[in-house]
Amino acid sequence: PFLVLIHGGGWTSGDRSDFKSIVDTIKTRLPGYAIFNISYRLAANGQNLFPTQENDVKAALSFIYSNLAGYKISDRYALVGASAGAHLALLNAYKETASKKAKAVVSFFGPTDLVQFYNNPPSLLVPLLLQSVTGFTPATNPLLYESSSPINYVVQGSSPTLLIHGGADQVVPSSQSVLLKDKLAGLNVPHQYVFYPNGGHGDWDAATYKDAFNKLQAFLQQHIP
């Protein structure tokens, strides 16, 4: 089986190199998994607006799938993302309903409902960021916000989902994960919600990260043995 890691950075910054330490951690914990650590085009200066990032992740998955034999891997995989990368992981997991469907998806503090995220932001920076990466507000282009929100694509049979969030997150509020958790529960989709009351937006202490990766390891081993 393989994992696809998707970095964060508000869709405007970051690179797969940000995940180097996570790659090392997963190699140690899950030595039987192949790992793809991917990048995607970043939105900046009116270029590469949504859904560019979603499409880039989809293209990466298509490339991997077309080379399974060459990589000597199976077609069983999970998506793992942080922040904006978690949003992209969830979006691709739930939208893919055919043969390339993920066996599991893991979100570290990712946005799940962009309309709610815009309308109930933790700071005034969030609406500005969403406008800069979409080119619109929810009022001027509701379809784009709806089609870019993972929560709208959850159905019975969606990929098992692990949601990990901190209660002191001032960038993506934990309510974003709670909204998705409730939707998953209502449709009987296997899921787990891990909440760290004092955790911020990834600025966690070593003990919290250790526990989070213990949870990730157990979840993936359960759903992709």
Side-chain angles (χ1 to χ4, degrees):
F2 64 94
L3 306 179
V4 178
L5 307 184
I6 312 175
H7 69 83
W11 308 282
T12 63
S13 64
D15 182 81
R16 59 180 175 265
S17 62
D18 298 344
F19 266 9
K20 184 181 185 304
S21 62
I22 291 178
V23 170
D24 293 340
T25 296
I26 293 177
K27 279 182 180 179
T28 300
R29 289 175 171 271
L30 298 167
Y33 290 65
I35 301 172
F36 293 88
N37 186 20
I38 68 172
S39 293
Y40 47 87
R41 285 172 290 175
L42 303 174
N45 302 316
Q47 302 296 313
N48 300 326
L49 303 184
F50 277 14
T52 296
Q53 296 72 32
E54 175 191 344
N55 291 338
D56 284 356
V57 174
K58 187 175 181 179
L61 289 170
S62 294
F63 177 83
I64 294 168
Y65 254 75
S66 68
N67 290 279
L68 293 177
Y71 286 128
K72 299 182 180 180
I73 56 177
S74 78
D75 62 354
R76 295 176 295 122
Y77 77 97
L79 292 160
V80 181
S83 194
H87 161 263
L88 296 173
L90 293 167
L91 198 59
N92 277 270
Y94 298 153
K95 280 192 174 184
E96 180 58 66
T97 59
S99 59
K100 294 195 292 291
K101 179 182 171 183
K103 298 296 184 184
V105 58
V106 180
S107 166
F108 283 86
F109 40 84
T112 66
D113 185 328
L114 297 192
V115 176
Q116 287 291 328
F117 194 30
Y118 185 98
N119 290 332
N120 300 284
S123 74
L124 295 177
L125 295 178
V126 168
L128 294 176
L129 171 63
L130 289 174
Q131 286 182 54
S132 73
V133 298
T134 64
F136 300 94
T137 69
T140 57
N141 195 335
L143 182 60
L144 178 60
Y145 275 76
E146 291 167 7
S147 66
S148 299
S149 295
I151 198 168
N152 294 329
Y153 293 90
V154 178
V155 296
Q156 286 186 336
S158 284
S159 301
T161 304
L162 174 61
L163 301 168
I164 304 174
H165 222 121
D169 194 325
Q170 297 299 310
V171 179
V172 180
S174 58
S175 59
Q176 285 286 305
S177 283
V178 172
L179 287 169
L180 180 54
K181 172 183 71 73
D182 291 344
K183 181 76 174 283
L184 293 165
L187 291 168
N188 297 313
V189 177
H191 67 282
Q192 182 180 358
Y193 176 48
V194 180
F195 179 68
Y196 300 114
N198 300 317
H201 193 67
D203 49 345
W204 302 344
D205 59 27
T208 302
Y209 265 115
K210 181 178 180 180
D211 185 75
F213 278 101
N214 285 342
K215 299 289 198 305
L216 177 147
Q217 181 179 354
F219 191 83
L220 294 181
Q221 288 174 330
Q222 176 186 356
H223 293 287
I224 317 179

